[in-house]
Amino acid sequence: MSRINWKDYITINPDLHHGAPCITGTRVPVATIVGSLADGMSPDEVIASFPQLDEARIQAALAYAAEVMRQEFLIPFAS
């Protein structure tokens, strides 16, 4: 299975949510989608909360997050 091209679904616009990446044509930030999934919501629950989304847009949000993680220099948090 090939990874979805997130660029087809995600827009970064400085006039929308202070430039946070959002699903194109919506005001739904990628961070909200990824955070909702991380909090235990299922994709169907996320779609129920944001009916303008679908599985492809949720997959695009995850693909974007994965690409960002590969490019970022991470510093571990002290515990």
Side-chain angles (χ1 to χ4, degrees):
M1 183 172 165
S2 63
R3 180 170 289 169
I4 195 166
N5 184 359
W6 63 262
K7 294 174 186 172
D8 293 337
Y9 298 92
I10 295 174
T11 303
I12 300 172
N13 178 343
D15 296 327
L16 182 63
H17 283 282
H18 306 286
C22 292
I23 300 300
T24 302
T26 76
R27 297 182 58 81
V28 181
V30 169
T32 297
I33 298 167
V34 174
S36 295
L37 295 169
D39 288 342
M41 289 178 75
S42 70
D44 288 337
E45 291 172 318
V46 175
I47 292 168
S49 295
F50 301 97
Q52 62 271 50
L53 300 180
D54 57 24
E55 285 194 36
R57 285 163 176 75
I58 291 173
Q59 287 300 314
L62 292 172
Y64 176 83
E67 186 166 320
V68 167
M69 291 305 299
R70 282 193 299 276
Q71 295 176 6
E72 291 291 318
F73 177 73
L74 302 177
I75 300 172
F77 288 111
S79 48

